[in-house]
Structures are given as C-alpha cells and as structure tokens.
C-alpha cells in the first residue's frame, strides 16, 4: 500500500499502519505523508522506506508508482488526511487504476462523494471506508442475531457516541486534531456530527440492516467561539417502521469514546459498548444472556473476525485490522477475477455517500421549522 497523509506527528496514520500489517497481508511501500515535502521525507525515513519511494505530493506518488512494473508498484492507496484532502487523492488513484482505502467521512461534501461512488462503479476498482467499528466480532454477532430473527421485528434503536475532549475551546490552544476537526474549510459542514455522528449512523444501519428514512434533529454549538456543532440530538425513523434516537457529543465532560448501541425487537434486545467490545448482551423477558468473544457457538461472521482465544481483550487495533485483512482478501480475489467473499466485508463508497447525505439531512432538519426531514437516497 501507499499512504497519503499520516506523518509521524499525526494520530490516525499510525493506527492505519499498525492495523494494515497485523496479518502479514499488506506492506507499506511508499507514501506522501504530509503537505510538507520535508515532513513527508522525514516520515519516510522514520518508517525505513527508501528515499525514492517517499514523495512530496500525492500527485507525484500516483504518477510515479503507476510507472513501476506490476508487482513492484503499490496495489492500493490509503488516505488518512483531514476531510478536505479525501476527494483529490481518491479520484486520482481510481482514475489511474489503484484501489483505495479512505478514512471517514468519505469526502468534504455530498457532491464529491457522489463523484467518487460513480468512479468506483465506472472503474470496477475496490474502495473501503474505514468505519472501523463494523470490524468488531460482537458487532458481527449482533448483526447475525438480528438477521436470524432472534429479536423479531425491530422496534427501537438507541445509538450514542459521547466524547468530552472538546468541552473547552481546545482548537485555540494549538491542538492540531481539534483545529482541523472544528474548521469548516477542512472538516466540512459538520463538526461532531461528521466526526462521530456518522459512526453512530453507520453502526445503527449496519447492525440492524435497516435504513434511516427521516430525521428530526437538534444541533448545538455549546462552546463559545466554535464554528461547527459539538452536540447533536436526533430522532430517527427507519424503513420498517422502527423508531430511534441518535445522540453524539464532544462536550460530554469526562466522557472518553463511549460509542454504544441498544436495539429492541418484539422478542428481545441487544446491547453493545465499544469500551467493553468483547461483550454483547442479549436481553429478553425471561433473562439476560452474556455473549463473549470466542466463547460458545458464535456465528461464522463473529468467528472469522476473532483473532485470539477467549478472555484476551480484542479492541480498536484488531477491529481496524479486520477491515484491512478483508480488503486485502478482496484485492487478491480481484486480481484473479473472482468476487470477494461477502463474509469478509468492509464499508463501501455507498456507505460513505449515505454518511454525507445523513449529514445534509440532519443539518436541513436542524434549520427547518418543520423538523421531520426525509432522508433522500
């Protein structure tokens, strides 16, 4: 793989690199790690890459890698930049025959996302959006239980993603992560909604198999001087008649990354928390069943995404690595003309487009006096 962004002083680039190499399927061979050519070169040296495979710009990387013989050049591009630098390298990579893995949200706005989805369809190349929470074994098990009818008809979905790290005006203190995530020019029209609200939206649809059809939203900027939303309360309506609540916040003082979901159907409910990822709770009127990663007769989907024996914690890196392993298997299948095994799934460009349209719909609802706003496909 080749990487765009992810210099030594960036957070998410290192996460992607560690996840990608976990299964021995993927090797980092080149990169344009920063908008600063000097910083890109320094990162390449820190990662022990040869100087000639470390580039000053993503344009140079894609052009030069394309000239290399197949088997030597990169097979796909990983994009781990702020949101406003997702579209350019994704578009250029696809146009030049390279598969793409991209951090979420897919692009800065919906128009860019629609262009990427069209390009993926036109080229037939592979695209993975790193909604990493879909990679957890107990998320796979929850999805399986709902698909198998264990809960019956789904009635209610509650999904939450509270954080507290932006409870003050951190972006004014020189914090690089806070600065770009709260800047409309680099983050897009949404702040916390785009950063973590789209994770909650994606998780709710992935686990339940339902689609959001309408939203009623209330967005707030609590911290004076901030330019984008830092808190959201959203009512949801789903395509089967179920109702839901989505709330995300980055000013929930003292909270860490407590993404959690509860799904209730006519026969029972499920509960999963990202901070206790090895546990899935299945509730009915008769009692409570604790389902643990690696224990008992789990679904095949949960089993193939479980890495170590029961009782050994699996978490953030392993879930990320599951997406990369699955993508690597899809690339191998692509190279020999086979379709990828759906058991080894990963979020798609279409999922990314839904995330952008979710942002648009929530913002429209927040600004509307009518409130209930249709989610347009």
């Amino acid at each position: 793989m080749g990487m765009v962004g992810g210099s030594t002083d960036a957070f998410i680039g290192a996460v992607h690199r560690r996840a990608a190499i976990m299964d021995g399927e993927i090797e980092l061979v080149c990169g344009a790690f920063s908008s600063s050519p000097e910083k890109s070169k320094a990162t390449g040296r820190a990662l022990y890459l040869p100087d000639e495979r470390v580039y000053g710009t993503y344009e140079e990387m894609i052009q030069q890698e394309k000239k290399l013989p197949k088997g030597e050049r990169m097979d796909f591009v990983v994009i781990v930049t702020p949101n406003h630098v997702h579209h350019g390298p994704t578009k250029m990579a696809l146009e030049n025959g390279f598969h793409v893995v991209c951090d979420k949200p897919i692009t800065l706005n919906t128009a860019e996302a629609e262009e990427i989805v069209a390009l993926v369809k036109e080229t037939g190349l592979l695209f993975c959006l790193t909604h990493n929470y879909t990679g957890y074994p107990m998320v796979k098990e929850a999805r399986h239980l709902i698909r198998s009818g264990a809960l019956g008809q789904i009635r209610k979905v509650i999904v939450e993603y509270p954080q507290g790290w932006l409870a003050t005006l951190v972006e004014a203190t020189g914090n690089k992560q806070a600065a770009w995530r709260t800047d409309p020019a680099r983050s897009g029209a949404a702040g916390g909604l785009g950063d973590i609200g789209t994770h909650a939206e994606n998780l709710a649809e992935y686990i339940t198999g339902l689609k959001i059809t309408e939203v009623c939203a209330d967005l707030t900027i609590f911290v004076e001087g901030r330019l984008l939303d830092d808190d959201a309360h959203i009512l949801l309506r789903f395509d089967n008649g179920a109702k839901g609540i989505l709330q995300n916040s980055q000013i929930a003082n003292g909270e860490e990354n407590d993404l959690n979901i509860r799904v209730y159907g006519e026969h029972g409910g499920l509960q999963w928390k990202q901070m206790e990822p090895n546990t899935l709770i299945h509730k009915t009127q008769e009692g409570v069943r604790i389902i643990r990663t690696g224990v008992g007769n789990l679904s095949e989907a949960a089993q193939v995404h479980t890495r170590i024996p029961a009782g050994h914690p699996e978490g953030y890196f392993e879930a990320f690595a599951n997406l990369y392993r699955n993508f690597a298997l899809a690339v191998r299948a692509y190279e020999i003309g086979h379709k990828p095994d759906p058991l080894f799934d990963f979020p798609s460009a279409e999922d990314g487009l839904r995330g952008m349209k979710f942002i648009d719909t929530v913002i429209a609802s927040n600004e509307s006096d009518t409130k209930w706003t249709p989610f347009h496909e």
Side-chain angles (χ1 to χ4, degrees), residues 50 63 81 90 159 184 197 288 294 296 318 328 340 350 354:
Q63 289 165 357
T81 58
T90 298
V159 61
V288 176
E318 290 85 357
E350 286 82 2
R354 275 195 71 79

Side-chain angles (χ1 to χ4, degrees), residues 261-296:
I261 186 168
R262 286 165 283 166
V263 181
Y264 300 100
E266 56 187 339
H267 301 319
L270 291 174
Q271 180 178 335
W272 180 79
K273 292 171 67 72
Q274 193 266 155
M275 290 176 64
E276 299 287 344
N278 287 3
T279 299
L280 176 66
I281 300 174
H282 182 198
K283 302 178 180 180
T284 68
Q285 293 298 97
E286 286 69 46
V288 176
R289 175 188 171 211
I290 307 296
I291 305 171
R292 294 280 294 166
T293 300
V295 178

Side-chain angles (χ1 to χ4, degrees), residues 52-106:
E52 66 271 16
R53 301 294 291 277
V54 182
Y55 303 99
T57 66
Y58 72 79
E59 292 94 341
E60 181 190 8
M61 182 180 82
I62 292 170
Q63 289 165 357
Q64 293 303 314
E65 289 293 313
K66 188 178 181 182
K67 294 176 182 177
L68 295 175
K70 194 171 176 61
E72 292 183 28
R73 66 187 178 210
M74 64 182 180
D75 294 301
F76 67 95
V77 179
V78 180
I79 298 160
V80 291
T81 58
N83 304 351
H84 71 298
V85 194
H86 285 185
H87 174 262
T90 298
K91 182 174 185 289
M92 186 174 180
L94 292 169
E95 288 174 339
N96 284 276
F98 294 107
H99 308 291
V100 175
V101 173
C102 184
D103 215 2
K104 46 63 50 195
I106 186 171

